[in-house]
Amino acid sequence: MPKLERCHIPAGTSYVARAKPMVVSAALGTCVGVALFDTKNRVGGVIHLLLPEPVSSESVLYPEKYATTAMPVFIQSILNEGASHDHLQAVIAGGALVGPLMPQDLSLDIGGRTAEIVQTILKKAGIPIVKSETGGFFTCRLSLNLMNFQTKIEPLFREPPPSADTPEVPSLAEITRAMDRIAPIPQVALKILRLVDEDDYGLDSIAEEVRKDQVICAKTLQLANSALFSRGRRIETLDDALILLGQDLLVQLVVSVSVKGFFHIRGQGYSLCKGGLFHHALGAAQVAAILAAKAEKTSVALAYTAGLLHDIGKVVLDQFITTVYPFFYRNLQDPTKSVMQTEAEIFGIHHAQIGFLLAQRWEFPDSLIQAIRHHHEPENEEVFFELTHILNLADLLITRFHPGLELEQMQGHHLEARLQKIGLSVDQLLQIVDALPPHVFHTSPNSLAEVA
Ligand SMILES: [Fe+2]
Ligand SMILES: [Fe+2]
C-alpha cells in the first residue's frame, strides 16, 4: 500500500486531481469546505471558501475566496480533469459561527451564508450532497482520500484515548518552576521591542541591533526567504530585505525572529501541528498589524509585536497539557467555556496571567505587558485599550478563519462594543476579513517546515 501524502488546502484555495495516494484536507472554522468527487472516473478535489460573495471592487483580484465566484470554477476544473457530471457527489463542512451565542452572529452568520450559497449552486448544477455538517460553534477538518474517494469530517481537537487514570495536575509551585526555567529574552530582542514601543525608531537603529547579533541576523534572512515573507524573491542581505520588503515588513521580520526561540516547545501540548503555536502567533500578529493600520489608533509595529507575544504564557503551560488533556478535551466541547477558564480550573492560573508575569519579569514595555494580560478581556485594560482591543479582535479572527494551528476557543462576546472601541462597526467585519491578505492563511502544516 503506497504511503499517503497529505495536502493541506488553505482558505481561498482549492485542489483537484485524478486518483493518487494523497489525502487532501481543509481545517475549517467559519470557512466552508466542499469535497467534490466522481468515484467512477476517479477524480476529486477540495475547495476552502472564505466568504459567501465578493465584498468590494477589489474582490475581483481573488475570485477563489468567495462561494459565488469560486464554486463554478471548481466544478468546471473537476469536469476538465475527467469527471462525469452524472457521477459527481459533494460533501460540505464548516461554516461555524464567529462567536458563540451572540445575537449579532445570527445576522452576521458568514459561514451559514457561504454554506447556503454552496448548496444552491450544487442544486442548480444537479450535484447531490451526500453529507453536510455545517454551522455550530466548532472547528473541524474535512478530508478527501484520493485513492478510495472516502471523505471524513472530524473535530480539529484530537480526542483523548480512554483512560481510567486520574491525571496528574501540576501544583502552582511546579508551574512557577517551569516559568523560572524559561530562558530570559535576548537583550537584542528586548532592545528592539523597546524601540518599537517608542514608535520613533529609524530603520538604522533596528538594523544596527540586528547586525550586532549574528544568530538573529542569519535567522532574519532565513525567515525573509520563507514563503510567508519573500513571495518568491531571493533575499541575501539585510539591505536586500530593506529594499524588497520595505521598513514595516523588515521590522515585523526582526521582531518575529527575536522572539521565535520561545516557541521551540516539545510535545503536542497546545499545538495541533508542528510549530502550531508559533504560527498562530504569526497569524495573529499579521492580522493585528492590518487592523492597526485600518483603525489608525495605534502603531502597526506595536500591534504586530503584541500579536506575536499574546499567548507567550502558553509556552509555560504547554508541557503540562498532555497529562491533563482528557479534562481539557471535555471542556473544549462546551461552547460557553474559554480555554482560559479551563486552564484556571485545572491549573489555578491561566495563560494570560502567566504571560503577564513573564512580560513583567522580562521588563517588556507597559503597553505589551497590559495587552498580553488582558487579551481575552480587553474591557479590563484602561490605558492601552486600543492596542488590547485590536489584539483581541485579531486573535478572534485568526482562530475562526485559520483554525487548526493550536488549541484556542476565542469567544466573540461583546463583539460589537469591542469593534466600536477601535472605531469599527460590525458591518465592517466582512470587509476586514476580506482585507486579510491570502498569505495570512498559508501558514499550514505544509509550509511549517520552512519556519518552524
Ligand atoms: Fe490567548
Ligand atoms: Fe491566541
Side-chain angles (χ1 to χ4, degrees), residues 5-10 273 442-450:
E5 196 186 329
R6 301 206 161 256
C7 176
H8 174 80
I9 314 294
C273 57
H442 285 239
T443 48
S444 70
N446 280 1
S447 63
L448 292 182
E450 297 177 53

Side-chain angles (χ1 to χ4, degrees), residues 243-286:
I243 295 163
L244 291 170
L245 304 177
Q247 170 161 328
D248 289 351
L249 267 188
L250 183 61
V251 171
Q252 292 182 4
L253 199 63
V254 171
V255 175
S256 309
V257 167
S258 313
V259 302
K260 184 168 163 252
F262 291 110
F263 293 90
H264 277 168
I265 38 184
R266 275 177 237 120
Q268 282 204 291
Y270 285 96
S271 285
L272 293 169
C273 57
K274 192 171 170 249
L277 203 51
F278 180 56
H279 281 77
H280 168 70
L282 273 180
Q286 294 186 68

